[in-house]
Amino acid sequence: MTPEEFRQAGYAVVDWIADYWATLPQRPVTSQDPPGTVAAELPPRPPTQGEPVEAILTDLGKLVAPRLTHWQHPGFFGYFPANTSGPSVLGDLVSAGLGVQGMLWATGPACTELETVMLDWLAEALDLPARFRSTGRGGGVIQDSASSATLVATLVALHRAAGGRWREVGVDRRYRVYTSTEAHSSVEKAARIAGLGSDGVRLIEVDPTTRAMSPTALRAAIEADQAAGLVPALVVATVGTTSTTAVDPLPQIGPICAGYGVFLHVDAAYAGAAAVCPELRFGHAGLEYADSYCFDPHKWLLTGFDCDAFWVADTGELVEALTVLPEYLRNAATESGAVIDYRDWQVPLGRRFRALKLWFVLRWYGVEGLREHIRRGVALAARFADRVRADDRFELVAPHPYALVCFRLRGPDGPNEELLARVNATGRVFLTHTRVAGRYTLRLAVGSPQTTETHVDEAWALICEAAASATPA
Ligand SMILES: *Cc1c(COP(=O)(O)O)cnc(C)c1O
């Protein structure tokens, strides 16, 4: 493909994406085809001769697009949002076109330096504690996901707990990780990958109403483990849990971690984005105690997957834990100590130029534009919650500080499961579920910039209709 051929094909692809976005509201949110449908329609072997881009685009529209869950759809209310945006796609396109592999500062100086500045910009936008800025001992890096951020935090915490000897001697079975019963599954996964096994994770009980970690129970677990000769290494606190967006109390958890010398990682994968709005920064109270922090711009900040922003307060400790320097990567810039080599801040060696999409997003929307996006989502969720609150058949199951509403029909689980299936089968909206204190609960998460009052009201109308037929009078 010559540059001129690329130009023509590229215009066609951009047109295809723009048409896709424009026609989203008319599409069913999820595919109703059975497993294997797509595979059965694809040729069993690759073409012998090359094909024009038009042929690929035709099949994209016919075979692929109808068999997707449309995450950008205005009726998508499932899980947490994973929203992209025009500027994010364009930044990613430039990254793909440049094809830079930014493992070292020397392999793409602007790739590294733009990332450092973007993470400082984001820290400013969220008003994160000064200790995370690159102007001091701290700094930020883009990971592929919050799961990777938690894994890296776990490895650094183990290095610290082992007195700076983890990278030489690894771990033994005495190390312990603490997180709440409501924490994301990536905490257990990180502990397993790090060699602690799931037995190395202590699940701390939560307050039955707020679903937030109990500081008293945390302290008791750490003390009991210490008394038993175990080594408390890491606490993972959550700001905005996946199930209900509960906020663990950092002002109480922080001093406990500091008192026992335990590393504190704060996982704000979804809710962190809300902190671009000054009035939505309550979850970050006490964040100055954290050794590391992450949130996903790829969830609620109009930046396409993959983009997790991860900060540490002490980059020296992070690099010490993860660095390896084979001869073939030696270079003068690294040896000078004057540059950042992001390969030492993550698990893989190689990395894409992901800072470009953040740069495009932050410059296109500005912080004010991002605040508007977040505030719109919070207001739409509040509107929906008002409907639920006003209807005696339903109950709100948890507070809704952000843009997720957890609700259910009063009574047993069965009619709730049936309700969710009926509503999703309409193809107009897509909601998912969770369990809160054992009870089947529906989740409605607002996040798409295309979602308006009309879509939220339609979701409520469909839910009411389904409720009428799911619960015999
Ligand atoms: C979504 C989520 C994660 C996982 O996010 P990835 O970036 O997909 O790894 C981790 N923690 C919390 C609290 C989440 O909501």
Side-chain angles (χ1 to χ4, degrees):
M1 191 179 267
T2 65
E4 199 45 48
E5 285 173 320
F6 174 79
R7 192 189 308 279
Q8 295 310 319
Y11 291 155
V13 171
V14 169
D15 281 344
W16 189 93
I17 297 172
D19 289 342
Y20 171 75
W21 285 341
T23 55
L24 268 175
Q26 286 98 61
R27 296 171 186 262
V29 192
T30 54
S31 162
Q32 306 297 329
D33 289 325
T37 307
V38 179
E41 288 183 21
L42 291 169
R45 55 189 62 84
T48 311
Q49 304 296 330
E51 297 178 79
V53 164
E54 290 73 36
I56 307 173
L57 286 179
T58 301
D59 286 346
L60 194 57
K62 215 171 64 192
L63 305 181
V64 176
R67 279 63 174 265
L68 288 174
T69 297
H70 301 293
W71 284 71
Q72 313 306 314
H73 195 292
F76 183 98
F77 298 113
Y79 309 107
F80 278 137
N83 290 127
T84 189
S85 64
S88 172
V89 170
L90 295 177
D92 241 354
L93 183 60
V94 176
S95 169
L98 294 174
V100 167
Q101 211 278 41
M103 57 188 174
L104 303 168
W105 177 88
T107 62
C111 176
T112 295
E113 292 185 21
L114 188 68
E115 185 161 329
T116 306
V117 173
M118 284 312 99
L119 274 284
D120 279 341
W121 278 17
L122 272 183
E124 178 78 25
L126 270 64
D127 196 29
L128 297 183
R131 64 198 316 228
F132 293 131
R133 311 291 167 98
S134 73
T135 42
R137 286 169 63 193
V141 60
I142 300 174
Q143 304 281 346
D144 55 3
S145 67
S147 304
S148 292
T150 298
L151 175 58
V152 169
T154 302
L155 301 178
V156 182
L158 291 173
H159 190 56
R160 185 191 288 182
R165 294 268 300 141
W166 166 79
R167 74 177 205 195
E168 284 84 20
V169 302
V171 283
D172 60 43
R173 298 182 55 83
R174 293 174 306 135
Y175 295 84
R176 288 294 176 273
V177 172
Y178 306 80
T179 200
S180 93
T181 53
E182 297 283 309
H184 192 264
S185 54
S186 52
V187 179
E188 182 191 326
K189 199 178 206 177
R192 281 158 55 178
I193 296 170
L196 299 174
S198 48
D199 287 353
V201 181
R202 296 274 194 251
L203 294 181
I204 306 301
E205 68 185 54
V206 296
D207 178 281
T209 311
T210 64
R211 317 303 299 165
M213 188 194 293
S214 154
T216 316
L218 173 67
R219 181 189 296 278
I222 290 175
E223 282 180 355
D225 281 346
Q226 269 191 343
L230 300 171
V231 184
L234 168 68
V235 171
V236 179
T238 313
V239 171
T241 57
T242 313
S243 200
T244 66
T245 63
V247 176
D248 289 343
L250 300 179
Q252 283 86 52
I253 292 170
I256 295 172
C257 294
Y260 293 97
V262 182
F263 193 101
L264 173 60
H265 173 61
V266 174
D267 175 4
Y270 160 74
V276 293
C277 303
E279 75 277 17
L280 293 172
R281 288 183 184 146
F282 45 83
H284 285 171
L287 191 56
E288 61 279 4
Y289 290 106
D291 293 289
S292 60
Y293 166 85
C294 81
F295 88 104
D296 285 346
H298 70 228
K299 276 185 171 158
W300 197 15
L301 213 59
L302 300 173
T303 308
F305 192 86
D306 53 346
C307 185
D308 171 85
F310 174 63
W311 287 268
V312 293
D314 182 353
T315 59
E317 188 179 38
L318 165 71
V319 171
E320 191 182 286
L322 296 188
T323 192
V324 271
L325 186 56
E327 183 57 33
Y328 45 81
L329 293 180
R330 285 188 185 280
N331 67 87
T334 297
E335 244 116 276
S336 77
V339 301
I340 288 174
D341 290 327
Y342 276 128
R343 74 194 174 101
D344 293 332
W345 298 43
Q346 62 177 23
V347 173
L349 170 63
R351 57 206 322 278
R352 314 193 293 119
F353 197 166
R354 286 177 295 216
L356 277 172
K357 59 186 170 191
L358 272 178
W359 196 39
F360 272 59
V361 166
L362 289 167
R363 292 186 66 179
W364 174 267
Y365 291 104
V367 176
E368 269 308 324
L370 296 174
R371 285 179 181 146
E372 263 172 52
H373 163 67
I374 296 285
R375 285 178 182 139
R376 209 167 37 233
V378 171
L380 288 173
R383 178 186 177 91
F384 180 83
D386 285 344
R387 303 277 186 281
V388 177
R389 206 177 280 113
D391 189 322
D392 282 344
R393 292 172 298 173
F394 290 91
E395 59 184 325
L396 288 171
V397 172
H400 52 95
Y402 302 106
L404 168 73
V405 181
C406 293
F407 66 103
R408 66 193 305 284
L409 281 168
R410 293 180 195 277
D413 288 346
N416 280 289
E417 291 179 42
E418 206 181 309
L419 175 72
L420 182 64
R422 276 172 202 259
V423 166
N424 286 344
T426 65
R428 297 295 306 157
V429 295
F430 178 65
L431 281 72
T432 55
H433 81 280
T434 184
R435 271 186 196 278
V436 180
R439 294 187 311 164
Y440 192 92
T441 298
L442 281 67
R443 295 168 79 264
L444 179 132
V446 183
S448 166
Q450 286 206 33
T451 303
T452 62
E453 292 184 352
T454 313
H455 302 102
V456 170
D457 290 350
E458 186 187 1
W460 178 242
L462 291 168
I463 288 164
C464 286
E465 232 170 86
S469 45
T471 43

